[in-house]
Amino acid sequence: MTQTHCPYCALQCGMTVTPGTNDTDGPTVGERDFPTNRGGMCQKGWTSAALLGGDGRLTTPLARDSRAEPLRPTTWEDALDRTAAAIRRTQRAHGRDAVGVFGGGGLTNEKAYLLGKFARVALRTSAIDYNGRFCMSSAAAAGNRAFGVDRGLPFPLPDLADADCILLVGSNPAETMPPFTRWLADQRARGGALVVVDPRLTPTAQRATLHLQLTPGTDLALANGLLHRVIAGGHVDVDYVRARTTGFDEVARVVASYWPERVERITGVSVADQQAAVDLLVRAERAMVLTARGAEQHSKGVDTVSALIDLALALGLPGRPGRGYGCLTGQGNGQGGREHGQKADQLPGYRRLDDPAAREHVAGVWGVAADDLPGPGRSAYELLAGLGDADGVRALLVAGSNVVVSVPSSGRIRDRLGRLDFLAVSDVVLSETAALADVVLPVAQWAEEDGTMTNLEGRVLLRRQALRPPPGVRTDLDVVAGLATRLGAPGEWPTLPRVVFDELRRASAGGPADYAGISYERIAAEDGVFWPCPDDGHPGTPRMFLDRFATPDGRARFVPVEHRPAAEDVDADYPVYLTTGRVLRHYQSGAQTRRIAALRDAHPEAAVEIHPDLAEQHDLGEGNRVRVVSRRGAAEGPVRITDTIRTDTVFMPFHWGGANSVNAVTNAALDPISRMPEFKVCAVRLERCP
Amino acid sequence: MSSLVVVGNGMAGARLVQELLARDPARDRDITVVGDEPGGAYNRMQLSNVLAGTTRSDAIDLAPPEWYAAHDVTLVAGRAVTGIDRAARRVHVGTGGRDGTAAALPYDDLVLATGSDAVLPPVAGLLTGDGLLPGVATFRTLADCVRIDELARTAGRAVVLGAGVLGLEAARGLAGRGLDVTLVQRGRRLMERQLDAEAARTLARSLAALGLTVSTGSGVAGVTGEDRLDGVVLGDGRRLPCDLLVLCCGVRPRVELATAAGLPTRRGVLVDDELRSVGDPHVRAIGECAEHEGTTYGLVAPCWEHARVVADLLADPACGTRYRGSAVVTRLKAAGLELATVGEAHAAGDADDDADLEVVRFSDTARGVYQKLVVRDGRLTGAILLGDTRTVGTVTQLYDRGALLPPDRSALLLPRRAGATEAVESPTALPATATVCQCNGVTKGAIVSAWQDGARTAADVAARTRATTGCGTCRDTVCGLVEWLAAADPDEPAPTRVLDRAG
């Protein structure tokens, strides 16, 4: 029995994995008392051992000479030789930036780190980014500009249980991370208030003290409106604002224009409900503001999070025990995955790639000259949207991401992948993206290898190897090292996770996300270690900002922000809003969960949630097939009639590919700062399928 | 470098400047704003709340003077524009500045955002040589608000003349501060521009319940008092003693400058879809002083739409943005009085004489509730929500978007409780197929099976079925089921209600 963590979301529930005893008996997972999940797990976790079985698993590399042919099994030598040759050929003909790398927020810290190093040192390309751009980047950018650093939750989860009021914006943990909601249940049992902001009356919202069912794309206006009433009512924590922040006056001036009646008309949230939310917040001794993708996945996601941080700052929350602002990270390693260099503009330790001192430090660890490191590259969607262009990427390596399903306006990206000279995909199964590749590399997965993950609290965790990978499978670290060696890259290319982690520690030392004092032994002994942890004697940092913020002057920054409409609003041709999200039984692009019979049977496809009034207008009944059509594409699914959604909005989950893929419909309008696409709102029309 | 002069620094003028800067941060344009009120721009919409004491007076600044300086905008505050020389494209600013001199400001583009003046009713004795009789105030500007606030500190009885939105807000605010308030209206009903007769009656009853006296159909004929107000004489001859009279008799667009400059005006300055004066392409008018398609507006939302359109056009003359009129939503800001109206709900009283018109009404006078939807071609053309505004967000958005209404209109008046899961009185009443644990998809039947297989505690059930191991909210139901199963099984001892860690 091995103590490890769940393969899915950012809660990274502690669990055990026990190998099967014989050929017929598969591995099993068990409960484990860990401080975050306290023995709990959702059905995804309980059934995750089925991922380790042979069903659909790739165990041999695949390759083809042209896309007209089917993929055929080949040897590892051939697959890696082909890939290295394609890289060389492409870079010779089109320059270094013509080869790109696309990573994922589910990869371990070791993999994310080595992938970033590979891009900068072996490929010397600026073209690297990852799917975390689609989930974490807006909160990250807003956190950085307010606090000088971005750690999802700057406090440990148990703090939630003691909060008197939690404002939860755009998050549905009752379905996306069920064991997390035990902390909310404890909080409610203590008499704490929960305010949920969501266009849907989600299972989470059903447990709330107050649900604000706003119009999709109007969270920013609502946040400014709440702050307006906080200021108008004289509830600003003046001493805190004076001692610990800058920029309040300008924010106060901006929100003076967000009086409740105006905000009501923009958001649809009544004046009375706005005031009720403010009353709950200002009456609380300890309050928290938490955001997730519902607030962040917008073309104004960064500004929306800033508005909510401004609210938290005015109430005097961040950097005080039991209070604060936090973002609930989604992907398994959404936090660690954005800290160690697979992001277009970053180096390990959450350092900036355009910071000369950071380049010197990391280049020193890597044994190369700082001048040889490329500069910042394009963000995820822009990288993908430029595939095959004269100045774009022409050969792409994908690891830990199923972009065909997970990117917005996905029809366009599928075309773009087709224009590539070469595509190599590392994956556990033949995902929708892997099926398009020239070379497919079968890699090990969570319980088959060691590695660290950083959970939503900034707690670095150890996933341990519980069983051997199937024969024929290699690890991502092996793949990177194999390619780096073939390309004659300078420096070391270790394949043991522990050795890679030790190098990561050195590379991160002195950076904002400093892992220098964290070791596998300490993680195991201490139930995880919170970064920053600069040396072996440092206890780690469960609560950040208690003395100062990570800005040059130590103060948090208020950032004035204005509401603006969604990039695409409803009109006569596309009169209905579409919003997207997750369901209880599936995760991300579904590449893992759709393989598990219990999850697939319980939730076989993406249904379209429609309010009874809207359904009646379209003559749609429960179970009818409906096409959700936007200017970019269409997705089809069965109608699910529910009065938990707004009458002007439909919801569709994003875990499926093909005709059922909602990201064929979503809008790729990007946030100007984070380059986050607007997954959470676009305009559609509904067509009943014949 | 071209020059933009904005005359008026109220909600419209200040908004225009902010909108313009947001579009054009590296602008190639001098901007000067002239406002006859002292100081920067403030949120006039919030004055009722300031008077009522629910909003702090320091929380209504939209743009303090420092803001203009920081953004390289010239603010000429506290001085009036005395004339426009359209031939020379100059605006003349009167004396009164720190240097005491007049000035002439050249412009390439001139925007009139002069707003409105409060209307003074023809009431005998209102004016003295120095202005309004002490104790009498209009309610339009921050200075007015400060004056009323000061008077209210010592006054005991107040009369508010005019029962429009502003009059109601002022009356409610003063009553909330403990004054004995009478609301006087010359017309027959309250909020004549927004309400029909029954809504007005319902509102009057609600006001009475809040301790306000309402007197309609009379108006004020005169005021009494030598050096300061001591009473008013109503139109029917009755005298009401009072020491504060607030005049909320409507507003009149300020068009004197435009008229004097020879620009075409009626009620307001006549403008086209680009908000240009129909008589001079270098002059625009926005806000309450503008008249577009025969309409002037007295609400902030249209004024801000004007500002947005003009900012678009000034930043990029070829942008194609046009103004097409505004949807009108009126929201009353008064504690204990919930009221929203959209469109022209007051006019369409009866569907009988108009076959295309559909009227949906709900009235519960005992609770002070009156709601009405006016529908044409399946779309909302007007609504009144009085006393219960829970659906106001949906109703105003349907109106703003011109969207088709749901076939069942009643939900727009009385919200249904969404997601109403049946209260589980007893888990034993659940059908076997009911999902008890959502997180792990465990049905009641599965729990019964687990019992039959030997699970005797909730922890045993959790170990076998995973029920309770996700979010944990089904714990009570699972415990209840275990108790029920034990009670139904005579061989079993009573179970202990203990869950281990797994549960």
Side-chain angles (χ1 to χ4, degrees), chain A residues 586-605:
Chain A
H586 290 283
Y587 179 69
Q588 301 303 87
S589 77
Q592 290 160 290
T593 49
R594 282 186 274 132
R595 291 173 54 213
I596 295 181
L599 303 176
R600 196 174 54 224
D601 294 348
H603 209 134
E605 65 179 329

Side-chain angles (χ1 to χ4, degrees), chain A residues 253-328:
Chain A
R253 190 191 65 70
V254 167
V255 304
S257 296
Y258 290 79
W259 61 92
E261 293 79 9
R262 177 176 176 231
V263 171
E264 175 181 272
R265 198 166 169 190
I266 298 171
T267 64
V269 175
S270 73
V271 171
D273 280 350
Q274 293 173 47
Q275 188 61 44
V278 169
D279 289 345
L280 290 170
L281 280 169
V282 303
R283 260 190 245 129
E285 170 72 18
R286 286 156 305 191
M288 288 179 178
V289 177
L290 303 178
T291 65
R293 306 306 82 69
E296 298 159 14
Q297 287 178 327
H298 293 278
S299 60
K300 54 179 179 297
V302 177
D303 282 355
T304 299
V305 175
S306 283
L308 288 157
I309 292 176
D310 289 342
L311 174 64
L313 289 171
L315 293 167
L317 308 180
R320 293 172 67 205
R323 303 158 176 84
Y325 161 77
C327 153
L328 302 178

Side-chain angles (χ1 to χ4, degrees), chain B residues 247-406:
Chain B
L247 304 171
C248 299
C249 303
V251 294
R252 183 180 298 119
R254 292 171 66 172
V255 296
E256 300 84 353
L257 266 181
T259 309
L263 294 167
T265 61
R266 271 196 298 264
R267 181 169 160 82
V269 181
L270 301 182
V271 294
D272 61 16
D273 289 355
E274 294 184 61
L275 295 154
R276 285 180 199 275
S277 162
V278 297
D280 185 338
H282 296 283
V283 182
R284 288 181 154 95
I286 62 172
E288 294 182 340
C289 72
E291 180 172 337
H292 176 262
E293 301 266 318
T295 305
T296 56
Y297 294 93
L299 295 167
V300 70
C303 299
W304 281 14
E305 284 176 49
H306 296 169
R308 182 181 58 76
V309 169
V310 170
D312 277 354
L313 289 165
L314 287 174
D316 175 11
C319 69
T321 303
R322 296 293 181 271
Y323 180 69
R324 309 283 188 205
S326 294
V328 174
V329 175
T330 304
R331 236 4 210 111
L332 190 67
K333 298 183 294 298
L337 293 172
E338 284 294 330
L339 174 61
T341 70
V342 305
E344 297 192 306
H346 65 293
D350 221 323
D352 290 350
D353 46 357
D354 187 345
D356 296 335
L357 195 68
E358 178 192 338
V359 178
V360 184
R361 271 200 206 84
F362 174 78
S363 170
D364 180 355
T365 47
R367 284 174 54 235
V369 174
Y370 176 82
Q371 298 172 312
K372 173 182 177 183
L373 305 177
V374 182
V375 184
R376 220 178 256 283
D377 296 332
R379 292 166 211 277
L380 197 65
T381 58
I384 298 172
L385 298 176
L386 171 61
D388 180 347
T389 54
R390 281 176 295 167
T391 59
V392 62
T394 308
V395 169
T396 52
Q397 289 184 339
L398 285 169
Y399 177 68
D400 282 342
R401 294 179 198 148
L404 272 179
L405 302 189

Side-chain angles (χ1 to χ4, degrees), chain A residues 40-41 43 46 178 181-182 215 229 232 234 253 256-257 259 261 264-266 584-585 613 617 643 646 648, chain B residues 18 43 46 54-56 62 67 327 331 333 397 400-401 405 418-419 438 440-441 466 468-471:
Chain A
M41 269 195 287
Q43 194 177 3
W46 284 115
T181 57
R182 296 167 162 231
T215 310
R229 280 308 305 165
R253 190 191 65 70
S257 296
W259 61 92
E261 293 79 9
E264 175 181 272
R265 198 166 169 190
I266 298 171
L584 180 66
R585 294 195 170 77
D613 290 344
Q617 281 175 357
D643 61 359
R646 290 173 56 91
D648 59 2
Chain B
Q18 293 180 346
N43 190 339
Q46 295 301 303
T54 56
T55 292
R56 294 157 59 109
L62 292 176
W67 182 88
R331 236 4 210 111
K333 298 183 294 298
Q397 289 184 339
D400 282 342
R401 294 179 198 148
L405 302 189
Q438 295 292 340
N440 282 288
R466 312 301 187 200
T468 74
T469 62
C471 70

